Amino acid sequence: MSTTSLPSPEHAAELREALLAAGFTADGLLDLLGAPAYAALARSETVPALRATRGDGPLAALVRLFLLQQPVPYVHARAALPVEQALADGWLRREGDEVHATVDVRPYGGPDGEDWFIVSDLGCAVGGAGGIGSREEGVVLGVGGASTTLAGITVRTPVGSALDVGTGSGIQALHAAQHATRVTATDVNPRALEFTRLTLALSGAPEAELLVGSLFEPVGEATYDLIVSNPPFVISPGARLTYRDGGMGGDDLCRSLVQEAGARLNPGGYAQFLGNWQHVEGEDWRDRLRSWVPRGCDAWIVQRDVQDVTQYAELWLRDAGDHRSDPAEYAQRYEDWLDEFEARKTKSVGFGWITLRRTDAAEPSIVIEEWPHSVEQPLGETVLAHFARQDYLREHDDAALLEGYFLLSAEVVQEQVGAPGAEDPEHVVLRQHRGMRRATKVDTVGAGFAGVCDGSLSAGRILDAIAQLVQEDPVVLRDRTPEAIRMLVEQGFLEPVRPVPESGQDTGQGG
């Protein structure tokens, strides 16, 4: 798989037209296969899709060719594609009266309804025929959960330059091409860059600068407005598989990527990565990650999952198909993973998101948290809002907070928790129904404060009114409340706003 020549992108535009004309899109697949078979593909179960493509129509032929990797009669392929050109360019190969796909082509819906195509090695796209389960060193994967997660959290403001480190089949570069004037993609695997070229061409996207090399080595001292990477972050005993194993000891690859990114960011620029990190005996994992953050950068790091070392080893042994090998060989590989973790005193491994923002602030904001609960993708706007709130909080001391005006976020609801029939709730919960979907307990004062925040009164005036209602000293209440306000702002329950003018008041600002 890793030594085969790849198709030429020269006539990708004509092939794209044929795929779209046949309805070979994400929506078209759902219509043809139906929801159950479509969902089964994501689990690498192909029988339902094979049953749904028994007909001889163009779309059925394309699904069998490029997603299910089944041979298709030449006459059926000719009805769906410019087949002679596809054969000449290497997208197909012919055996007798049948044709076979040489690469996996998966329809992929863009964020604004675009019809894109991700090109990868056969059987190595989620939704492909065989799942991954490959021990080929140079294999290039297609779309997976990690890919879509990173695409969803990435900030999508227009930028002049973007860099995709470890591009693989080019998914992040494809997204970046929609809002960056110039896109550079790098990978240590030259085949990956060729797949990126195919993905961009078949998706109708602009070409990118493609550079071979590890991490930031290929770009020298160049700087960027946006850096993204779904790196080979797996912490493993050795670098067997290029697409997942970093080749450095422990979590050093992720650490190096994060630490070196700061110098490659333009002022105000963002770097966003997925990563794995070790939980080491006697060490707080938050301290470990805090040490990674480069100088001159704000950081928001979210740990989404933690696995003990046995779970982690089993996950990636299965990913490579080792569980289907000789039992003795599997057991030895398992031992190798556990030996590696034991030597590094690693008890578990965390997975999550790392976002950096280049800043000139004297005291950068570093937020490291654990949030394993469900979120609502895409989160690019949520990331932007997080850093905007950090700027606000950094610039406002407690006195300035009390003079500030706030608005309860539109998606926040209040839940009262207590025994049925009780006069007063045991506690009150504020819950977000969008973005990070956070929830936090608040006391009666906090709930009352949040409920009144409509931008018309300063925080101090609201607290004075609450103090009168609960018969508390307003000075004491003002002294103890800013910390709670700061938390509600930091987590997105309250939004700082300009004061809402009273009726008939002229703000002096045009509409």
Side-chain angles (χ1 to χ4, degrees):
M1 186 182 299
S2 59
T3 58
T4 56
S5 60
L6 298 181
S8 165
E10 183 177 356
H11 302 98
E14 292 89 332
L15 179 58
R16 171 179 170 80
E17 289 180 10
L19 297 177
L20 294 177
F24 190 61
T25 64
D27 290 341
L29 287 183
L30 183 59
D31 290 341
L32 174 68
L33 302 180
Y38 189 80
L41 266 184
R43 303 188 299 270
S44 295
E45 295 291 346
T46 60
V47 172
L50 286 168
R51 290 172 63 87
T53 55
R54 287 173 173 171
D56 56 3
L59 180 54
L62 293 175
V63 172
R64 282 183 166 256
L65 265 176
F66 290 119
L67 282 188
L68 304 178
Q69 280 98 61
Q70 298 293 310
V72 169
Y74 175 87
V75 292
H76 292 173
R78 187 174 59 187
L81 296 168
V83 69
E84 291 301 330
Q85 189 65 66
L87 286 165
D89 287 346
W91 295 92
L92 304 174
R93 60 181 175 83
R94 185 170 182 175
E95 293 184 5
D97 293 331
E98 294 181 329
V99 294
H100 300 250
T102 60
V103 289
D104 190 314
V105 177
R106 178 175 173 81
Y108 179 70
D112 296 316
E114 302 94 341
D115 289 316
W116 293 338
F117 300 96
I118 309 300
V119 188
S120 64
D121 271 314
L122 289 172
C124 292
V126 172
I132 299 173
S134 172
R135 287 184 268 180
E136 294 258 6
E137 180 180 347
V139 69
V140 177
L141 305 189
V143 184
S147 303
T148 55
T149 293
L150 178 59
I153 67 173
T154 300
V155 169
R156 296 299 175 195
T157 53
V159 294
S161 58
L163 171 65
D164 178 13
V165 179
T167 188
S169 55
I171 301 161
Q172 309 308 325
L174 176 58
H175 277 276
Q178 312 309 305
H179 62 103
T181 303
R182 175 173 57 88
V183 176
T184 300
T186 72
D187 205 290
V188 70
N189 181 1
R191 291 184 77 250
L193 297 176
E194 292 306 310
F195 273 114
T196 294
R197 191 189 311 277
L198 294 173
T199 289
L200 294 174
L202 199 58
S203 298
E207 294 183 4
E209 179 185 32
L210 304 176
L211 303 175
V212 178
S214 177
L215 300 181
F216 295 105
E217 179 272 328
V219 302
E221 301 301 315
T223 58
Y224 300 86
D225 301 313
L226 174 67
I227 300 173
V228 293
S229 182
N230 176 18
F233 52 65
V234 177
I235 300 170
S236 60
R240 290 175 62 205
L241 303 174
T242 303
Y243 71 85
R244 70 170 205 191
D245 299 325
M248 298 185 185
D251 52 17
D252 283 354
L253 183 133
C254 287
R255 177 186 56 78
S256 298
L257 181 65
V258 174
Q259 289 182 335
E260 295 175 16
R264 283 13 185 247
L265 282 176
N266 292 326
Y270 285 86
Q272 297 186 266
F273 315 116
L274 301 185
N276 277 184
W277 41 82
Q278 296 165 228
H279 285 224
V280 178
E281 292 178 13
E283 176 187 75
D284 188 321
W285 65 271
R286 292 174 180 84
D287 292 338
R288 185 180 193 86
L289 290 175
R290 189 172 286 107
S291 72
W292 292 7
V293 178
R295 290 184 178 181
C297 286
D298 294 326
W300 184 23
I301 302 175
V302 182
Q303 180 167 275
R304 296 287 290 155
D305 190 20
V306 181
Q307 290 186 319
D308 67 51
V309 293
T310 59
Q311 292 174 308
Y312 190 81
E314 290 162 15
L315 170 67
W316 295 110
L317 287 167
R318 286 180 175 274
D319 172 79
D322 288 323
H323 61 301
R324 295 192 292 266
S325 65
D326 176 72
E329 181 182 348
Y330 174 77
Q332 184 57 57
R333 289 197 183 279
Y334 202 149
E335 288 275 6
D336 292 343
W337 282 72
L338 296 184
D339 287 344
E340 175 78 5
F341 288 130
E342 183 176 342
R344 296 183 178 277
K345 298 183 178 179
T346 301
K347 57 184 180 179
S348 56
V349 177
F351 168 84
W353 318 326
I354 299 174
T355 299
L356 306 177
R357 182 185 63 166
R358 189 75 187 178
T359 180
D360 57 3
E363 296 185 10
S365 163
I366 300 177
V367 176
I368 302 174
E369 62 177 317
E370 186 166 19
W371 189 253
H373 311 293
S374 64
V375 299
E376 183 185 56
Q377 287 273 35
L379 284 169
E381 291 294 327
T382 300
V383 172
L384 284 173
H386 167 88
F387 286 98
R389 293 193 300 268
Q390 295 302 316
D391 288 341
Y392 177 88
L393 293 171
R394 186 160 42 200
E395 295 163 2
H396 290 73
D397 60 16
D398 287 355
L401 275 184
L402 293 175
E403 294 176 2
Y405 291 73
F406 301 95
L407 184 67
L408 184 66
S409 297
E411 75 275 6
V412 174
V413 297
Q414 176 178 302
E415 300 174 358
Q416 295 186 348
V417 181
E423 184 174 346
D424 297 314
E426 294 176 14
H427 59 262
V428 176
V429 174
L430 299 180
R431 188 179 302 278
Q432 301 169 353
H433 281 273
R434 302 194 64 184
M436 291 295 287
R437 292 177 173 168
R438 298 185 187 276
T440 187
K441 288 183 182 180
V442 291
D443 59 16
T444 303
V445 172
F449 179 86
V452 176
C453 284
D454 61 1
S456 64
L457 294 173
S458 69
R461 289 184 63 184
I462 293 173
L463 290 177
D464 290 345
I466 292 175
Q468 188 172 1
L469 285 173
V470 300
Q471 298 182 336
E472 186 172 340
D473 185 337
V475 175
V476 173
L477 191 59
R478 278 174 171 255
D479 284 346
R480 70 178 175 85
T481 306
E483 183 179 353
I485 297 175
R486 196 171 290 275
M487 182 276 292
L488 291 173
V489 172
E490 181 176 31
Q491 296 193 358
F493 292 94
L494 294 179
E495 300 172 3
V497 294
R498 293 183 179 182
V500 176
E502 297 178 5
S503 178
Q505 181 179 343
D506 185 2
T507 65
Q509 297 179 349

